[in-house]
Amino acid sequence: FNAPTAFVGVQAVGVLPSEIGRQRDQWMPALNMDFTANYEPSTGRSLGGLSLSLDRAPVAIISGSVDLPVEAITDPKPDVPLPWKADLNAELYELPLHAVPALSDREVSGLLSGVIALKGLNDKPSASIDLVLSTLRIHDVFLQGLIKGQIEPPKAGSEDGRQHALGNVSVAFKEPDGGSLKVVGNLGVLWKNLTYPAPDPGSEGELVIEAKRFGIAPAFPLVAGVLT
């Protein structure tokens, strides 16, 4: 006797939020999506993948795995949380920023590539981000950008029983003429339900900004509608 395997496959073309979420439309281009997932009872592991494409060009692959023993599904125990854990990984492949209406309206273009990862959810969670902004253009200013960050797993032995951790991020931009801007920050984080991070209101943070002959024009998208 072979245990059955569950499989799901879904395709969607030109996906956009509904009219109810019209404000959000400005931050989401029309994407084609291809989703597959399966669950193997013998191992208790489910694997899923979501491919995103824009005008037939692949721009992102989101993959994930969930471990959950089949016994927890077929014979759940009252008042016992499901013993699941999961990993999630998103890879971006030269996602064109001008395809996002809110950015193209502000004359922002460029290509976004890199990896965003969540590991050990509901167990020993951690997160990391490593992104590259190539051929970035804001109005008539050309830049290269790097975004890096991580959130550590929760610290052991917390006195209040909450899942405290430390998160840090760095954002760096360089202009062709040598001008540069670097922002580095860190902040305490709480892993809510060992699943998602949120700022720790009781922690201290630090923010350092270092600029060298960096023009103010690239800040325009942040103040559009307020300043000219």
Side-chain angles (χ1 to χ4, degrees):
F1 175 76
N2 293 322
T5 298
F7 176 82
V8 176
V10 178
Q11 287 186 328
V13 178
V15 177
L16 279 172
S18 66
E19 289 296 320
I20 296 176
R22 191 166 185 82
Q23 186 66 29
R24 291 178 297 156
D25 291 1
Q26 295 299 307
W27 293 98
M28 181 176 178
L31 294 168
N32 301 326
M33 302 183 179
D34 189 346
F35 173 76
T36 60
N38 68 75
Y39 178 74
E40 178 58 60
S42 62
T43 62
R45 167 161 287 197
S46 176
L47 299 175
L50 175 64
S51 298
L52 304 177
S53 60
L54 185 65
D55 296 331
R56 298 184 179 182
V59 294
I61 295 178
I62 302 173
S63 58
S65 67
V66 178
D67 291 305
L68 177 62
V70 67
E71 295 81 8
I73 301 174
T74 59
D75 187 23
K77 305 300 182 184
D79 301 322
V80 176
L82 288 176
W84 65 273
K85 58 183 179 179
D87 295 333
L88 188 64
N89 194 75
E91 298 183 45
L92 306 179
Y93 303 102
E94 297 187 341
L95 173 66
L97 299 182
H98 66 265
V100 179
L103 296 179
S104 62
D105 289 348
R106 291 168 171 78
E107 299 182 44
V108 177
S109 63
L111 301 174
L112 178 63
S113 302
V115 178
I116 302 172
L118 294 169
K119 303 291 185 183
L121 300 181
N122 202 45
D123 184 26
K124 296 179 180 179
S126 64
S128 63
I129 182 172
D130 190 350
L131 300 176
V132 176
L133 286 160
S134 59
T135 62
L136 178 61
R137 180 176 180 178
I138 303 176
H139 289 264
D140 295 326
V141 180
F142 291 87
L143 303 165
Q144 295 291 329
L146 295 174
I147 303 173
K148 294 180 178 290
Q150 66 175 6
I151 302 176
E152 300 173 350
K155 300 175 182 177
S158 173
E159 294 182 359
D160 58 8
R162 296 192 295 176
Q163 307 299 324
H164 295 270
L166 179 65
N168 61 75
V169 65
S170 67
V171 180
F173 294 103
K174 289 186 178 181
E175 295 178 316
D177 63 358
S180 63
L181 174 68
K182 187 174 183 179
V183 180
V184 179
N186 61 68
L187 180 69
V189 173
L190 291 174
W191 278 105
K192 299 285 189 176
N193 300 319
L194 293 176
T195 304
Y196 63 93
D200 183 354
S203 71
E204 297 181 352
E206 183 180 30
L207 182 67
V208 178
I209 302 175
E210 181 180 343
K212 178 182 177 183
R213 293 188 290 109
F214 190 77
I216 196 172
F220 176 77
L222 302 177
V223 297
V226 179
L227 301 175
T228 61

